[in-house]
Amino acid sequence: MKEKIFLVDLDGTIINSSRGILNSFDYAFEKMGVLTPSKEILKSFIGPPLHDSFGLYFEGKDIQKAVEVFREYYSEKGMFEIEVYEGVEETIKTLSESCKCKLFVATSKDDKHAKEIIKNIGLDKYFEKVVGSSADGTFSEKVDIIRYILDNEIENTDEYEIFMVGDTKFDIIGANKNGINSIGVLYGFGSEEDLRKAGATYIVEKLTDILEIK
């Protein structure tokens, strides 16, 4: 049986970051002088790259400016307005210490904040590396982040059974395009319908369920 490697999403999978992200969007739209979208629309912005979400409302340099303003609030307050989902630390610890699995964080959140968050919540010791997006948005799609880890952090990928674990279709699509397994979690920001349509290999209700996958 091959050893397992898990690439784990951050927002909506490890942490419930909705309060900090929504507050950061509110701040950004107000500072940019644009009417803030509804809460339902803002919730759909949790997961995709920031540049894609702001691109629906701004053009050119204003997209990058909106991202920078978002990060003003997020760096000072938003990144601390989070909760670690129940069962996450237990699962990550078991995978790392008992199952001897290699773990990576693969997130569209910018790399700097992702690393800070994982360290602040005390989970950095379990992960080989945290890989997030670039500040300018040129490296932010989940498919590219997964490919980077496969190409640069894992030797002989054929020797492992590799899973991408996440809560949205972007995680599943990214996994499929890179030829690895995917696990969709139902407690995050995505929907079961989207996860199934995207072709998730497995769908679980809680993170601890992945310990049962053989």
Side-chain angles (χ1 to χ4, degrees), residues 150-179:
L150 297 179
D151 290 346
N152 296 278
E153 302 298 336
I154 303 172
E155 292 187 13
N156 303 319
T157 55
D158 290 341
E159 296 181 2
Y160 300 93
E161 188 172 10
I162 305 174
F163 300 82
M164 176 68 218
V165 186
D167 64 308
T168 72
K169 63 182 180 182
F170 303 103
D171 301 297
I172 309 305
I173 293 169
N176 291 341
K177 287 186 175 180
N178 280 286

Side-chain angles (χ1 to χ4, degrees), residues 64-88:
Q64 181 62 28
K65 177 62 176 177
V67 170
E68 291 171 359
V69 174
F70 174 99
R71 287 174 177 159
E72 285 178 9
Y73 181 94
Y74 193 80
S75 296
E76 184 176 344
K77 296 180 180 179
M79 65 178 291
F80 303 108
E81 297 172 333
I82 62 172
E83 295 177 356
V84 179
Y85 285 110
E86 183 178 357
V88 164

Side-chain angles (χ1 to χ4, degrees), residues 4 9 11 22 27 45 53-54 79 83 87 100 111 114 121 126 132 159 192 204 206:
K4 292 182 173 66
D9 178 46
D11 294 317
L22 293 177
Y27 177 85
F45 293 168
S53 298
F54 281 122
M79 65 178 291
E83 295 177 356
K100 303 300 182 183
D111 192 71
I121 62 178
Y126 300 119
E159 296 181 2
E192 182 173 359
V204 299
K206 54 188 184 298

Side-chain angles (χ1 to χ4, degrees), residues 5 47 72-73 94 112 123 127 131 137 149 178 180 187 201 204:
I5 292 178
E72 285 178 9
Y73 181 94
T94 300
K112 178 177 180 290
L123 297 184
F127 289 97
V131 179
I149 295 174
N178 280 286
I180 64 173
Y187 54 81
T201 313
V204 299

Side-chain angles (χ1 to χ4, degrees), residues 19-151:
R19 185 161 64 97
I21 291 176
L22 293 177
N23 286 342
S24 299
F25 273 119
D26 283 341
Y27 177 85
F29 278 104
E30 181 179 352
K31 287 289 186 179
M32 294 294 291
V34 174
L35 181 66
T36 303
S38 68
K39 290 296 183 185
E40 287 305 311
I41 292 177
L42 289 182
K43 286 180 181 178
S44 71
F45 293 168
I46 302 176
L50 286 175
H51 289 76
D52 291 357
S53 298
F54 281 122
L56 300 174
Y57 294 86
F58 304 102
E59 295 181 356
K61 293 182 180 180
D62 283 343
I63 296 176
Q64 181 62 28
K65 177 62 176 177
V67 170
E68 291 171 359
V69 174
F70 174 99
R71 287 174 177 159
E72 285 178 9
Y73 181 94
Y74 193 80
S75 296
E76 184 176 344
K77 296 180 180 179
M79 65 178 291
F80 303 108
E81 297 172 333
I82 62 172
E83 295 177 356
V84 179
Y85 285 110
E86 183 178 357
V88 164
E89 183 169 5
E90 167 195 346
T91 304
I92 296 300
K93 182 178 181 180
T94 300
L95 289 173
S96 175
E97 297 182 351
S98 300
C99 302
K100 303 300 182 183
C101 298
K102 290 184 178 181
L103 302 169
F104 295 85
V105 173
T107 175
S108 290
K109 184 183 291 298
D110 68 284
D111 192 71
K112 178 177 180 290
H113 288 136
K115 285 179 167 63
E116 288 179 359
I117 289 170
I118 289 297
K119 184 176 182 179
N120 287 343
I121 62 178
L123 297 184
D124 55 310
K125 58 183 174 289
Y126 300 119
F127 289 97
E128 302 287 322
K129 191 169 185 177
V130 177
V131 179
S133 68
S134 59
D136 62 2
T138 55
F139 177 69
S140 61
E141 299 294 335
K142 188 58 65 77
V143 62
D144 297 326
I145 290 166
I146 294 172
R147 185 177 298 121
Y148 176 88
I149 295 174
L150 297 179
D151 290 346

